[in-house]
Amino acid sequence: MAKVQVLNVAVLDNPSPFGNPFQFEVTFECMEDLPEDLEWKIIYVGSAESEEHDQTLDSVLVGPVPAGRHMFVFQADAPNTALIPESDAVGVTVVLITCTYRGQEFIRIGYYVNNEYTDTELRENPPLKPDYGQLQRNILASNPRVTRFHINWEGCAEKMEDSENVDPAPNSMLPPSCTPGKAPPLGLLPDNSMDCL
Amino acid sequence: MKLLKPSWVNHNGKPIFSVDIHPDGTKFATGGQGEDSGKVVIWNMAPVLREEDERNENIPKLLCQMDNHLACVNCVRWSNNGLYLASGGDDKLVMVWKRAAFIGPSTVFGSSSKLANVEQWRCVMILRNHTGDVMDVAWSPHDVWLASCSVDNTIVIWNARKFPEIVMTLKGHTGLVKGLTWDPVGKYIASQADDRSLKVWRTMDWQLETNITKPFSECGGTTHVLRLSWSPDGQYLVSAHAMNNSGPTAQIIERDGWKTNMDFVGHRKAVTVVKFNPKIFKKKQKNGSTPKPSCPYCCCAVGSKDRSLSVWLTSLKRPLVVIHDLFDKSIMDITWTLNGLGLLVCSMDGTVAFLDFSQDELGDPLNEEEKNAIHQNIYGKSLAITMESQLSSTIIENPEMLKYQQERQGNQNPNEAQGIGPENQTPKLTNVLNGESLEDIRKNLLKKQVETRTADGRRRITPLCIAQLDTADFLPALFNSVPILPGSSASTQLTPQISSDSSTANSLGLRPSHDPTTTSPNKTAEDNKDSGTAAVNSIGMKSNLLLTSASKIEPMKALDSRFTERSKAMPGVTSVPLTIGITPLDRVKDSSSVKEPKGKDETSSDSEDKIMVKSIAKRKGEMEGAEVVEKRKKGRPRKDAKTMPFPQTPVEPSRLTTPIAVLKLPTPSIQKSFSTQVSTDGVTYLEVENEVSVVSGSRLSQLKWSREGREWDVLLPSRIIIAAGSSNVVAVACEDRTLSVFTACGRRLIPSIILPVPMSALHCSGHFVMALTASAMLSVWDVQKQTALVKNESLNPILSGTDATVSQSFLTQQGVAVVSLSNGKTYCFNSSLETWNLIADKQDSLVQCTDFRNCVSAQDALGSMGPLALTQGRNLSAGRLASRLSSTPHHLQQGMTLAFLEKQLSSALILLSASEYRHWLLIYARFLVNEGEMSKLFLFNRSEWGLELLTSKNNEKSTIKVVCMIPGYTFHIF
């Protein structure tokens, strides 16, 4: 069973201008002292069409984690607008928060994000080239989509006991010697990153 | 009798495999199949017991549900103290649950379900060992052990005080093991399996006591469970599915000789579960009737695949009640309330039924004193005392035992316990927020949270700990007595520490001023007073239990017809008596018999049923004699406040005769023969055989040394008490207070050393010999150089003023003597300074508050091996708590980490442990660099003398190389 249970994620500074950093206040509970850090990531889905446009906004290590209930605020910069297809800038997209332990993803929390112009004029006649300065980001905080995965808490990804619960995160397949932290290339993001939505 | 089927107790129609009522009677647990997982649910008992509570919507019915088991849950069992719930399932796991008192109701994040858990039970331990489905779990009396059995044919005995330590794996069954029951006396555990056998194992050595196969030879392995049960007086064990003349029975097995002469007959299909009422009853005294000495009897419920339930009193020849068609499918589990008047039954059909008896029906339950008196009378000791003597080797036992006794006295007022309903218990938060409200903290969390960069430049956030788990007893000292800030005094209360580190696990947790020995004898005396009346009772009870019947086939026929007659009633409650079909006893054996008083409640006057009663006086005498002999053999360690058995010597301490010593350490008693393993290579053994031969009046003892086929032996004129050895030397201490030292080739090095007092502990390492005498004096000799490193140094400085005792002692490779005390402190004696130095303290606040993990590189993440690690436990990760607490400023933590690391360095140095010194030096250096402590870095450069000192002492080439690049500085240590 999972040693870490996410109890709540509060979306802070929401709604906010598009350029503001994302802020999630995560409350989680840990059953026993974790010898290793948890790795949290915020992934911004740039385009629903292709995961090519997914951006890992930030990844952060959280630790040390003794048994108990903990909270932290995960802040990450707004997505790089250059990587977002212009056609997808306005409208509904998704932001994902994932957590991995020993290279294995065990929870993935997805939120719908609606980007729209606050100005009625702009809303009715959106410019061809998105004006990010005028965009407002609204995260649908009341409706998180949570997917949990069984992982092997005792060892590394290779020793996974439950073959039926295959971790969708590709970096779980990396050998443990790969230093975590180098953000994986964007193209490596899971095919099914939208599955949970 | 009242019968109720609370429909709200269900697993959404999925089967319920197990049910167990909490010892305080306020709740019960069910286990079974969930949606796509196993499911454990905790229910409120009040709505089952009272109709108005059932209707009251403010009273919760469901308290908590846990879906953590990956597959169907086969068994749920509360510990006897009610603190834990153990569950076993098809996912091969045993989970141990504990209530988290600090959290209020909560829902699952992200789930649409609005169903909140009223109580929070969390899994505090997962026990992994079985390779197949776990079928049954059972807590031993007083929760010393937890047993689990599995379809992998094994039974695992877990140390419930030190999960997940395995005490023993009982192997011997050749089929799926499907039921377990502990002897209430604590002497045995019985298991029943698909291999058509019932095995009884001794808890003393975990060997097979008896294997019973005859009643099961006709059985087919078709039942899901085989839950057997032991009677509360310990005299009878009743099996699940057995066969007698092709009819399904529940076999009664007598403790005395494991005879299988009686059984419960009547069910049409296999018996799946038998459960004895925890109470022993005596007949209800009716007003006006002459107060005859009534005979205590037991009560037993039997559930079967035939969907019917029967309840038996051992004073009656027929069942008290039989209930047919209570369920649509097989009965899976039965549980009694602690007061003995209520009964919950669960079934494969996913429902439960509650039976409520009155005292008129069952009788007056004996209170604990009366029950203890019966035990006292039968076994010569009350249960509590039995446990203590039995577990004398389990050192941690004493304070726990004491606690148990205190608790039991507290529980004498059952009304108080009953009053605490779930709604009365307000969840309490283990406050670590220092008065700040959660809201305040949340406002500033982003600003306040500590964010650092790891060596490779990554962001690392230290989460804010807002609540600790109250799972103290499963975690290291951390949560027991954590002084969070320096300056606050360490808690003096010693809670037995459960530590994953085996070397420290032996430490004693004696509570000051509570000495178990002072309470036990009093108890015995009281019990003796009662034994006079109890004798009568127990004889009567025995006679009651020994019912026999000449006819065993006829009642079954009669029963069958009754069963069919009633089968249409839904649910049919009948009082149609079944009949105990009991095969005749060894009736010739006893001529004198005690007349059994005819029970008034008996409805049947079946003349064929004969009552065979036999005198037990004679047998009892025999048995008690046996017990006495056994006790003498086993012996019991003295429990003086100042003494304790040494864990590393598998021998028991004997009475000490030296009057000189103020401080007394226990000495091992003399054994006929014993063997010990020498050093760590695992192939060298020392065997001692005392009194191997008698030559002209003097008795010779033999010491034998063997390593991979090579061996030598020497003869000594006196009996050997302790033997120890290293790869270089072998030392033995004899009864005549001499110490002899031999080389590893068996040549005597020095003539016998005469010791002033007997030896308490003896260790060898390299060329060093360490002796700890019964008068708490320490000596260490270098037998190669023939010099004394430590001369008769008293342990007084470290022992005085504490109630602690020596829990462990050893000698390092470099000849440094290390002594660990039961209060968690470890000292070594420095022969150059001639001082005792504190090298490890389990309650050191510094340990709890350090965080140097960033400085531990991958290759030394596992920690270092050496005497320091041995005493401190390698799991230093227990620390790092303070960093999570919002109130600990970073600079304070930094200071504490520095202080801790410096302490480690100096301790490694004083222990002359080069590898550990290197280990901590590296961490220290990295920490200094990370924190930019320039001034210390330069100082540190000069502290290399420590390393030089060590390398020269150890005669080994040791280099250390740390290259740290800091802007503007390049820093090397070689």
Side-chain angles (χ1 to χ4, degrees), chain B residues 412-678:
Chain B
Q412 301 286 323
N413 303 321
N415 296 337
E416 273 175 33
Q418 293 285 336
I420 306 163
E423 51 281 338
N424 301 1
Q425 292 171 347
T426 43
K428 59 172 187 289
L429 188 84
T430 313
N431 189 6
V432 291
L433 305 175
N434 297 331
E436 286 180 278
S437 81
L438 194 60
E439 282 312 306
D440 291 345
I441 284 170
R442 286 181 64 177
K443 267 181 223 154
N444 299 315
L445 182 56
L446 185 62
K447 275 177 234 151
K448 283 183 81 175
Q449 73 186 10
V450 179
E451 195 169 313
T452 52
R453 292 272 168 184
T454 60
D456 50 0
R458 302 198 58 199
R459 281 172 69 194
R460 182 172 189 244
I461 295 173
T462 302
L464 172 72
C465 182
I466 54 171
Q468 295 170 1
L469 288 194
D470 58 346
T471 52
D473 35 358
F474 283 112
L475 292 171
L478 191 57
F479 295 118
N480 288 339
S481 54
V482 190
I484 289 160
L485 296 168
S488 70
S489 62
S491 166
T492 48
Q493 192 194 22
L494 253 180
T495 320
Q497 292 164 2
I498 316 280
S499 147
S500 54
D501 178 17
S502 60
S503 68
T504 56
N506 290 323
S507 69
L508 228 198
L510 262 185
R511 235 174 254 250
S513 83
H514 293 296
D515 189 349
T517 36
T518 57
T519 49
S520 318
N522 295 346
K523 187 110 192 67
T524 325
E526 281 168 29
D527 287 334
N528 279 335
K529 265 183 247 162
D530 292 337
S531 63
T533 49
V536 182
N537 289 347
S538 91
I539 288 170
M541 183 184 64
K542 278 203 148 209
S543 64
N544 269 328
L545 282 164
L546 292 164
L547 295 170
T548 59
S549 163
S551 65
K552 52 179 187 175
I553 301 150
E554 273 192 5
M556 275 181 51
K557 280 189 208 153
L559 186 86
D560 273 351
S561 63
R562 283 167 193 151
F563 264 78
T564 40
E565 265 170 39
R566 295 283 172 168
S567 61
K568 282 171 196 112
M570 281 294 275
V573 182
T574 64
S575 278
V576 178
L578 294 169
T579 309
I580 307 183
I582 294 168
T583 45
L585 278 174
D586 44 341
R587 51 181 89 182
V588 255
K589 190 175 158 190
D590 302 290
S591 49
S592 64
S593 63
V594 180
K595 195 80 181 161
E596 198 229 25
K598 197 81 175 166
K600 285 199 175 74
D601 290 0
E602 244 173 77
T603 46
S604 144
S605 57
D606 194 342
S607 59
E608 281 178 342
D609 288 345
K610 274 189 214 158
I611 297 157
M612 194 57 198
V613 188
K614 59 190 198 176
S615 143
I616 26 208
K618 186 174 144 228
R619 278 171 39 195
K620 234 177 74 62
E622 285 167 10
M623 200 175 68
E624 275 180 349
E627 291 274 331
V628 169
V629 169
E630 193 185 290
K631 245 197 213 160
R632 201 174 290 146
K633 242 192 279 170
K634 246 173 32 173
R636 272 165 63 176
R638 284 157 36 79
K639 291 201 177 62
D640 293 11
K642 293 285 179 198
T643 67
M644 63 151 302
F646 274 70
Q648 61 270 61
T649 44
V651 289
E652 316 142 23
S654 69
R655 192 160 281 275
L656 204 65
T657 46
T658 11
I660 10 163
V662 185
L663 290 166
K664 280 184 268 178
L665 296 179
T667 54
S669 68
I670 296 164
Q671 288 183 321
K672 177 80 181 82
S673 62
F674 61 92
S675 65
T676 51
Q677 199 176 326
V678 173

Side-chain angles (χ1 to χ4, degrees), chain A residues 1 7 25 29-31 35 37 39 58-59 61-64 66 68-71 73 75 148 150 180-181, chain B residues 68 70 103 109 122-123 126 442 445-446 449 458-467 469 853 880 884:
Chain A
M1 65 167 286
L7 301 175
E25 179 203 88
E29 197 167 272
C30 183
M31 264 174 43
D37 286 352
E39 185 183 358
D58 205 350
S59 101
L61 297 176
V62 170
R69 189 179 274 197
H70 310 277
M71 63 200 300
V73 175
Q75 178 170 331
R148 294 179 172 89
H150 286 298
Chain B
N68 303 42
L70 298 174
I103 309 171
F109 172 66
R122 66 191 58 255
C123 180
I126 301 178
R442 286 181 64 177
L445 182 56
L446 185 62
Q449 73 186 10
R458 302 198 58 199
R459 281 172 69 194
R460 182 172 189 244
I461 295 173
T462 302
L464 172 72
C465 182
I466 54 171
L469 288 194
R853 196 146 56 124
R880 311 189 317 250
R884 257 113 283 130

Side-chain angles (χ1 to χ4, degrees), chain B residues 849 889-899 927 931-933:
Chain B
C849 300
H890 182 68
H891 69 88
L892 186 57
Q893 198 202 348
Q894 182 195 12
M896 290 195 286
T897 309
L898 268 181
F927 187 79
E931 302 289 332
E933 285 277 318

